[in-house]
């Protein structure tokens, strides 16, 4: 049973990581299409194909960073929960 629980936590981290990157890439594609998002055009005043490339690169790198933070937070929260569960029997013990 412990094998399935540990692997389900790993699977949750992998799915969250990949989903965050995929959403970021879709957002990057949406912003790279002319006349749609125009994030770089609005922020920096750059237009044309250079704005599309910069928008796609910025959002792709941003999605990778956010995915790393999300995966790290999931692992940290699961580790804290595991530590609390390890200490619970000590709290219940009568001395």
């Amino acid at each position: 049973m412990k094998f399935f629980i540990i692997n389900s936590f790993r699977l949750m981290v992998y799915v969250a990581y990949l989903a965050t990157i995929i959403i970021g890439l879709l957002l990057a594609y949406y912003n790279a299409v002319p006349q749609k998002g125009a994030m770089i055009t609005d922020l920096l005043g750059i237009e044309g194909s250079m704005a599309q490339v910069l928008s796609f690169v910025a959002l792709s790198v941003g999605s990778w960073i956010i995915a790393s933070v999300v995966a790290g937070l999931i692992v940290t929260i699961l580790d804290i929960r595991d530590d609390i569960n390890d200490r619970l029997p000590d709290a219940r013990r009568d001395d």
Side-chain angles (χ1 to χ4, degrees), residues 78-94:
L78 290 174
D79 189 44
I80 290 170
R81 184 193 61 89
D82 188 46
D83 288 345
I84 289 171
N85 285 337
D86 288 344
R87 295 181 191 274
L88 281 177
D90 294 339
R92 290 188 209 130
R93 184 176 40 181
D94 292 330

Side-chain angles (χ1 to χ4, degrees), residues 4-45:
F4 292 114
I5 292 171
I6 290 170
N7 286 327
S8 67
F9 290 152
R10 275 191 196 152
L11 181 64
M12 182 172 62
V13 171
Y14 295 151
V15 168
Y17 192 78
L18 290 175
T20 307
I21 289 176
I22 290 170
I23 289 170
L25 289 175
L26 290 174
L27 184 62
Y29 176 75
Y30 176 79
N31 276 303
V33 175
Q35 310 299 322
K36 292 275 184 165
M39 177 186 76
I40 298 295
T41 303
D42 293 342
L43 291 176
L44 301 176

Side-chain angles (χ1 to χ4, degrees), residues 42-91:
D42 293 342
L43 291 176
L44 301 176
I46 299 172
E47 295 182 6
S49 61
M50 187 62 166
Q52 294 172 351
V53 170
L54 284 176
S55 177
F56 190 80
V57 168
L59 287 169
S60 298
V61 171
S63 69
W64 173 61
I65 292 170
I66 291 170
S68 298
V69 169
V70 166
L73 287 173
I74 290 172
V75 169
T76 302
I77 290 169
L78 290 174
D79 189 44
I80 290 170
R81 184 193 61 89
D82 188 46
D83 288 345
I84 289 171
N85 285 337
D86 288 344
R87 295 181 191 274
L88 281 177
D90 294 339

